[in-house]
Amino acid sequence: MDKLFTLLVVLVAVLAILPILHIIAYITWRGLPVILSNGLSFFTDLPAAVVEEKPGGIAPALAGTIFMTFTATLIAVPLAMLAAIFSIEFPNHVLTRAVRVASRSLLEVATVLIGMLIFVLLVLPTGRFTALAGSLALAIVMIPYVYTYTELALLSVPRTYIEAAYSLGMKRSQVVFYVTVRIARRGLARGVAIAVTKAMGETAPLLFTAFGAYSVIFGGPLEPASALPLMVFQFIQTGYENWRTLAWGGSFVLLVLYLSVFIIARILVREVKY
Amino acid sequence: MTSRRPLHDIIFFYSLALPAFLIVVILSLLLLSQLGMSIPILRVQGLSTYTTTTWRPMYDPPPDRAWYGLLPAIWGTMVSAVIAILLGLTFTIALVVFMEEIAPRRVREVFSTIIDLMAGLPTVLYGVWGLAFLGPLLHKYVMSPLHSHLSIVPLFSCEPLSGATVFTAGVLLSIMITPFMVALVQESYRSIPYTLKEAAWSLGMTRYEYVLLNMRMIAPSIASAILLGFGRASSETAAVTLVVGNAVNIGFCIFAPAYTISSLIANQFTESQDFPYMLNALFAGGLILLIIGLIVNTIGVLMLRRVRF
């Protein structure tokens, strides 16, 4: 009886992690050959027309992902980090309670709703889908992650260092920015890395903001843009064989990007020691 | 008070308070935009927007010829999330017991890394895998056999025409929410005092009885994992849209294509701007999704706090 129970637990546990291993293998199997057979042009070309046999390239998606992830990081990181410092420095302030609830809610809310918010605020009034709208939506996706991890990292800084800094006669802002933040920097970097994996992997917030655009590589911040997950989502559903091929190649690139940032975040966490 | 503080402290305070305030504003705007955009359709159709099953976009506004009933999408969300919870909880408990009680340290570390990897994988990658592999696999080896042998059971009564069904969506979601549920249950499991565990062993319990006892002790955290997992499952968009089949459909059979609220929004948003009130109807869907999410998550977080030793 006990052996049977143990066996069952082991079997179900292994079954639970099989999918992710299979997903990695399967996407590599479908996606890697696409890249190998198209070479460098896979990264630099526009998607081919649907009548052609060749798939073309994922340049618009790649450019959009780089632009939107980068700008979203520029917006979200300072905002969320300063807010997190506020929560640590003024733990009993009513705003701290409010921002914790807000961050927690943003973390759990369906990301498609974030896309709808930017749609109402930016796309409806201006009448156009833009890369910048996509950046803003991704920034809102990133904020709660940066906030939560920054708060955790700052809390883990030993009190003694902070007291020592005050005893040297430093101002409050100096203590925070020269001592606490410096000591916690690896934890902060990890938070940013995790938020970046989220931003570059999101599809739903971009559907009604960046919208997708494939006729130029990058039209500028005020034109519609694509992103890797958005392109994969849109092209895998089409009936065109060469576009679906493109989607598989794009999936593999997205997977490799994700795994790289995942590994960076791992290295950062391993070295957090005081 | 404030006037006595030095100027640099005041600047320090406001340069931090402003970003914090902005984050609160973002959440408020999110709530307000969903509510504001939903009001027109709720004025025309009332609460029957949520209780009717007809989805008929037309150029003439409702209630004359067009009608936007969200019940099928709400139903699809519930069904797929419940399937996800049932399977996900099974995976979760097995993983926690395996990692905490059975696996040697090295194996546990490998599992823990893999679970972290699962948690952050871009959801669209789950989606393409579900579309190309999991859906057809379930269709051939699970749905079709169950239908042909057990079609008397209402759940299996309709013939699965393809892999894109609410059942496939539920299975895919169960894989996606498992890492979150594991994180919650595992943390509570670890917080059980060692003295209690030793006492259980010293009574000569079998492993099964011992695990059952431990799980009872952390029951609130399991309930919390169910609620938070439900929140995750109901709000997932990209992956579900690729595998759920996207058809307005309501019934007890889980082998039929369906819509969830989020996949309805993802699929119909673009064309919704051509029909009066259709965009508002989708926002009404977003509103109910937001409300479900906030309620479920609030209760879930409160439950989590009840595990104390």
Side-chain angles (χ1 to χ4, degrees), chain A residues 172-188:
Chain A
R172 192 167 194 175
S173 54
Q174 289 175 321
V175 174
V176 169
F177 290 110
Y178 294 137
V179 180
T180 320
V181 167
R182 293 258 169 113
I183 293 174
R185 62 185 182 275
R186 276 184 192 281
L188 304 192

Side-chain angles (χ1 to χ4, degrees), chain A residues 34-59:
Chain A
V34 179
I35 294 169
L36 292 180
S37 62
N38 288 278
L40 201 62
S41 71
F42 181 78
F43 297 98
T44 56
D45 280 4
L46 297 171
V50 291
V51 286
E52 289 177 48
E53 230 170 73
K54 294 200 77 176
I58 59 164

Side-chain angles (χ1 to χ4, degrees), chain A residues 2 5-6 9 12 20 22-23 79 90 95 108-110 112-113 120 171 173 203 208 232-233 237 248 258 266, chain B residues 8 12-13 19 30 94 113-114 116-118 120-121 124 128-129 132-133 207-208 235 238 242 269 283 290 297:
Chain A
D2 218 31
F5 173 71
T6 307
V9 166
V12 177
I20 183 69
H22 189 261
I23 287 170
L79 203 67
F90 306 97
L95 191 53
E108 302 291 347
V109 91
V112 70
L113 301 182
V120 173
K171 289 176 192 162
S173 54
T203 314
F208 331 123
V232 169
F233 179 79
Q237 295 187 79
W248 284 113
Y258 167 65
R266 282 262 135 183
Chain B
H8 56 77
F12 177 69
F13 177 84
L30 188 72
T113 306
I114 292 175
D116 281 351
L117 196 65
M118 281 170 85
L121 189 81
V124 73
V128 292
W129 177 77
F133 177 79
R207 182 174 262 155
Y208 171 72
S235 60
L242 290 177
F269 202 88
F283 271 90
L290 191 63
N297 286 309

Side-chain angles (χ1 to χ4, degrees), chain A residues 91-232:
Chain A
N92 299 318
H93 199 280
V94 63
L95 191 53
T96 294
R97 299 240 305 269
V99 77
R100 283 209 179 112
V101 171
S103 168
R104 168 103 225 164
S105 308
L106 284 176
L107 199 67
E108 302 291 347
V109 91
T111 53
V112 70
L113 301 182
I114 294 173
M116 291 166 96
L117 168 69
I118 300 296
F119 177 85
V120 173
L121 290 184
L122 216 63
V123 177
L124 267 186
T126 61
R128 61 196 308 168
F129 297 106
T130 58
L132 209 59
S135 307
L136 281 178
L138 291 185
I140 299 178
V141 171
M142 293 178 77
I143 283 171
Y145 290 97
V146 179
Y147 174 86
T148 310
Y149 282 96
T150 304
E151 211 189 359
L152 276 177
L154 294 179
L155 273 176
S156 71
V157 174
R159 224 23 244 176
T160 46
Y161 288 79
I162 297 165
E163 276 160 16
Y166 275 117
S167 73
L168 291 174
M170 289 172 103
K171 289 176 192 162
R172 192 167 194 175
S173 54
Q174 289 175 321
V175 174
V176 169
F177 290 110
Y178 294 137
V179 180
T180 320
V181 167
R182 293 258 169 113
I183 293 174
R185 62 185 182 275
R186 276 184 192 281
L188 304 192
R190 176 169 172 249
V192 174
I194 287 169
V196 166
T197 64
K198 293 289 165 192
M200 71 183 197
E202 277 291 348
T203 314
L206 300 178
L207 287 169
F208 331 123
T209 54
F211 193 69
Y214 302 99
S215 53
V216 287
I217 291 181
F218 187 68
L222 299 180
E223 292 294 324
S226 183
L228 276 174
L230 187 62
M231 185 210 76
V232 169

